[in-house]
Amino acid sequence: SIGTLSYSVRQMVRSQIFAPWRQSYQHRLLQPFLRPLILGSLGAASSHFFAHRCSFVDEVQRHGTLNTARRPTLLSKRSSSTLVIRRSCASGVLEADEEYPGTAVERLRNIQLRVKSLSPTDLSGEWEEVRRKLLWAGGLRDLPNARPGQGYTGHSFNDDNHCDLTAMLGDVAHNLNDGSIQSIAVGNLLGPGIETASIAELGPGGSWSTCTNGCNLDPPQDVAHIQFRSRIAFKLVWCPPSFDSFVLVDDEGRYLTHGTPTGDLPHAQYRAGNFRLVRGSKYAREAEALAQKLI
């Protein structure tokens, strides 16, 4: 019948034309540009295109349409759970984390170099000065007077929860929480604030002080790992039982540095609550060990 013929033609067009196009190099490259363009914003389309110009490579490779000469080469295997690769993009070579592809690897590495340059003495002065050093190390501006959601960083490391420093690629900075992260608002749009507050000199991508709740699960179910598919560059954990000192650890829970600040610290309930969020996880080990050393 005519109806059956029409359906068959539509199916043929989908399978022979649109399906290959959706798997093609060109579609993967242009997709981030086309979506906002359809929604009517040329400026947003251009911004999305350039933010995505590197990330499309991994997707293309999964579909086998990229020339094998341009496939990423193994850079290093830093641990049993961290595989770092190189991928080609318009601006050169971008390192990527296979397990958490939203990680800004170069930026994360530079952040950790800054963190390790801070001695316990550096992190044992007045709390506000110490907090500014943590922001500097994390690639964030100190913007205590900005509007929340528009670059405000006055909350960073100042409560129990906003104690993860996450370095994410530009193409995931505008990701939303789809409801997968408990106790975090659905949506949770952070992208505009990340763009405003991030210091560019540390490398591609952006930084943000993301929420740590959910990190006690294995694998972590926090904002960094779920919403941004990114590792954390460091996490601040207050040390029991007095919670007067803190330790900074990396994504695997390894020690980076520590401090015992003075002055107007975050409220004692925040500091104790911060440790409760990590208790029983790999992120608690160094805090518990440091507490024993400081007794």
Side-chain angles (χ1 to χ4, degrees):
S1 68
I2 294 177
T4 302
L5 178 61
S6 175
Y7 175 79
S8 299
V9 170
R10 289 199 305 270
Q11 289 297 101
M12 181 185 70
V13 170
R14 287 194 186 102
S15 62
Q16 299 300 318
I17 298 176
F18 289 112
W21 159 247
R22 289 185 62 82
Q23 304 298 326
S24 70
Y25 173 96
Q26 292 87 352
H27 175 263
R28 294 292 172 182
L29 174 59
L30 294 175
Q31 185 182 38
F33 174 78
L34 294 174
R35 186 174 299 169
L37 183 62
I38 292 171
L39 296 176
S41 173
L42 182 59
S46 301
S47 174
H48 277 66
F49 174 75
F50 287 108
H52 283 72
R53 68 187 184 279
C54 294
S55 65
F56 80 93
V57 177
D58 283 343
E59 284 295 313
V60 176
Q61 289 159 357
R62 293 192 187 102
H63 292 86
T65 57
L66 190 64
N67 188 306
T68 55
R70 294 184 60 193
R71 284 185 176 274
T73 56
L74 180 65
L75 175 64
S76 64
K77 192 166 186 178
R78 302 187 180 279
S79 71
S80 58
S81 60
T82 309
L83 183 64
V84 179
I85 61 176
R86 292 185 188 275
R87 58 187 186 183
S88 302
C89 66
S91 60
V93 174
L94 183 71
E95 294 176 88
D97 186 298
E98 187 178 63
E99 185 174 1
Y100 289 102
T103 307
V105 176
E106 178 187 345
R107 189 176 184 87
L108 180 148
R109 184 180 298 119
N110 289 331
I111 288 170
Q112 291 181 347
L113 287 174
R114 282 191 173 185
V115 169
K116 291 177 181 178
S117 75
L118 296 173
S119 69
T121 301
D122 294 326
L123 298 177
S124 296
E126 285 288 325
W127 168 244
E128 268 308 306
E129 278 302 310
V130 169
R131 199 181 71 85
R132 290 188 187 100
K133 291 176 183 177
L134 296 177
L135 292 172
W136 167 81
L140 282 174
R141 295 182 175 88
D142 180 28
L143 300 175
N145 299 316
R147 293 177 58 187
Q150 299 298 320
Y152 174 73
T153 55
H155 66 305
S156 301
F157 312 112
N158 249 340
D159 59 15
D160 56 344
N161 205 14
H162 294 91
C163 295
D164 285 355
L165 196 291
T166 302
M168 73 287 288
L169 293 173
D171 55 344
V172 302
H174 291 265
N175 283 6
L176 301 178
N177 173 31
D178 62 3
S180 300
I181 312 165
Q182 295 185 4
S183 304
I184 299 295
V186 174
N188 193 36
L189 177 63
L190 301 176
I194 293 171
E195 291 180 351
T196 300
S198 294
I199 300 171
E201 66 194 51
L202 286 181
S207 300
W208 197 245
S209 54
T210 56
C211 292
T212 196
N213 60 296
C215 74
N216 60 314
L217 303 175
D218 187 17
Q221 302 292 302
D222 50 35
V223 169
H225 295 89
I226 300 299
Q227 182 170 335
F228 295 119
R229 298 299 299 156
S230 172
R231 297 184 188 276
I232 59 168
F234 68 84
K235 182 189 298 290
L236 182 149
V237 183
W238 290 96
C239 305
S242 64
F243 307 107
D244 294 328
S245 299
F246 66 82
V247 65
L248 303 183
V249 298
D250 68 9
D251 194 71
E252 296 298 323
R254 293 174 295 223
Y255 173 89
L256 295 172
T257 189
H258 73 275
T260 306
T262 58
D264 189 16
L265 303 180
H267 194 280
Q269 290 183 351
Y270 281 149
R271 288 177 278 140
N274 164 264
F275 182 76
R276 284 196 298 271
L277 289 173
V278 305
R279 179 183 290 153
S281 74
K282 60 186 178 183
Y283 300 116
R285 290 195 303 258
E286 292 295 339
E288 293 167 332
L290 182 62
Q292 293 299 315
K293 294 177 184 177
L294 295 176
I295 292 177

